[in-house]
Each structure stands twice: as C-alpha cells, then as structure tokens.
Amino acid sequence: GDSVTQTEGLVTLSEGASLTVNCSYETTQYPALFWYVQYPGEGPQLLLRASKANEKGSSRGFEATYEKETTSFHLQKASVQESDSAVYYCALSDTVAETTAGAEHKL
Ligand SMILES: *[C@@H]1O[C@H](CO)[C@@H](O)[C@H](O)[C@H]1NC(C)=O
C-alpha cells in the first residue's frame, strides 16, 4: 500500500543551524501529507500538513512543500532552537473513503 520513507536518523545541530528532514512517499493516489512532532515525555502532535500538490504547510518556523514531481515532503526550518529537540514523523493520510457494510468510516 502507501508508504513514507524518512532518510535521516539522529540529527545533531547547533542552535541557529538549519534543519532538513527528508520524507519521500509512495502512493497511487493523492493523499494529504503530515509532519508530527513528539517532544520528550509527550505524545505526538500535528506540526503541519499539506493536502494537495504544490501546497506548502507551515507552522512554528517549520515548512514542508508537497512536491508531487519528486514525491517528497521534506521538513525544513531555517534556524533551530534547543526546544526543537524532538522526534519528527512524516505520515500520509488514509486514502480509502469507502466503508464496508455496517461499519462507519470517519475520515
Ligand atoms: C534529502 O533530499 C535531498 C533532495 O531531495 C537530497 O539531495 C539529499 O541527499 C537527501 N538527504 C538524505 C539524507 O537522504
């Protein structure tokens, strides 16, 4: 089915340096794409999203552009702070809108 691939593992940066976290996706459809951030001791939370090709999602100085040509959604920040230390997850949406008999499908 659909998948995302993140290429960076642990990234160590000095304060003020720029950050890129790569994400490539494989899908037969046009899903929404997401970056989640998980700060130490917390659950994952939505950082930003883009729901169509060429759309740019941005939040808290982070941005990522839905690149349909290169099937990528790289996360970038120009100047990182110590408080950006976290785990970053790339994700794509459920693309199946149908439901099976008797089940309700909430998108
Ligand atoms: C991240 O993506 C860029 C552009 O697509 C590429 O040049 C670079 O090698 C990638 N980095 C990693 C670690 O995969």
Side-chain angles (χ1 to χ4, degrees):
D2 299 345
S3 65
V4 295
T5 303
Q6 294 184 232
T7 45
E8 280 80 3
L10 181 65
V11 177
T12 306
L13 294 169
S14 300
E15 282 209 321
S18 66
L19 170 70
T20 301
V21 187
N22 284 5
C23 173
S24 300
Y25 61 89
E26 251 183 75
T27 178
T28 52
Q29 307 193 39
Y30 302 103
L33 297 169
F34 306 84
W35 275 101
Y36 287 83
V37 58
Q38 183 173 23
Y39 296 107
E42 296 184 17
Q45 50 182 285
L46 182 64
L47 178 59
L48 56 82
R49 60 172 288 158
S51 47
K52 56 180 191 292
N54 304 316
E55 188 181 348
K56 184 192 280 186
S58 62
S59 173
R60 301 181 214 169
F62 290 88
E63 58 181 49
T65 301
Y66 190 144
E67 301 275 6
K68 202 177 115 188
E69 292 72 24
T70 55
T71 60
S72 68
F73 192 53
H74 301 333
L75 182 69
Q76 296 183 302
K77 194 183 191 206
S79 176
V80 294
Q81 303 304 309
E82 189 185 354
S83 58
D84 294 323
S85 296
V87 182
Y88 293 86
Y89 299 96
C90 183
L92 56 70
S93 69
D94 187 345
T95 52
V96 180
E98 292 80 21
T99 175
T100 56
E104 184 183 6
H105 187 105
K106 287 188 172 172
L107 289 172

